[in-house]
């Protein structure tokens, strides 16, 4: 706190603050690394790698934007083997295209795994 009893001030009523701001940023993951300042904080300066399941396609996004991002398109084969008996019985191994998130269910009849 400043001698003027405000959390942060413009430095006219008291000497400028030397401390780090430390307020939680809009990304929800980090705190503001800038020196103490009035007004809103700048966006998070960090980036997050965002990619498909096999890792062939990836992009860099601003921190906090990954929940709203559209995953990159990948035309490779998913590296996760199928869990049902059809995956072991078919020559293709019940392969499916690379994706984001959990694997789709089995497409053979009533299996659904």
């Amino acid at each position: 706190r400043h001698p003027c009893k405000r959390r942060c001030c413009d430095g006219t009523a008291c000497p400028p603050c030397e401390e780090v701001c430390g307020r939680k940023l809009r990304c929800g993951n980090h705190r503001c690394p800038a020196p103490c300042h009035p007004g809103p904080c700048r966006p998070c300066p960090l980036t997050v790698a965002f990619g498909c399941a096999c890792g062939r396609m990836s992009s860099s996004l601003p921190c906090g934007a990954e929940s709203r991002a559209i995953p990159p398109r990948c035309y490779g084969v998913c590296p996760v083997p199928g869990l049902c008996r059809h995956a072991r019985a078919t020559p293709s191994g019940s392969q499916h295209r690379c994706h984001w998130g959990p694997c789709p269910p089995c497409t053979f009849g009533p299996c659904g795994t």
Side-chain angles (χ1 to χ4, degrees):
R1 291 218 178 249
H2 296 261
C4 65
K5 304 290 187 230
R6 290 174 54 191
R7 186 184 187 290
C8 192
C9 68
D10 57 8
T12 55
C14 57
C17 182
E18 301 287 327
E19 293 188 27
V20 173
C21 172
R23 285 185 274 187
K24 199 163 195 167
L25 297 174
R26 279 188 274 155
C27 70
N29 302 323
H30 303 102
R31 297 196 174 274
C32 181
C36 189
H37 59 87
C41 298
R42 295 182 57 87
C44 185
L46 302 174
T47 57
V48 177
F50 185 73
C52 63
C54 73
R56 285 188 197 131
M57 304 296 286
S58 67
S59 60
S60 183
L61 300 170
C63 182
E66 58 269 21
S67 63
R68 299 181 309 273
I70 297 170
R73 279 200 183 270
C74 179
Y75 296 101
V77 175
C78 178
V80 179
L83 301 174
C84 70
R85 61 186 169 85
H86 297 112
R88 294 183 293 276
T90 58
S92 67
S94 187
Q95 293 179 337
H96 53 274
R97 199 172 90 199
C98 186
H99 54 88
W100 177 257
C103 289
C106 178
T107 57
F108 290 97
C111 179
T113 343

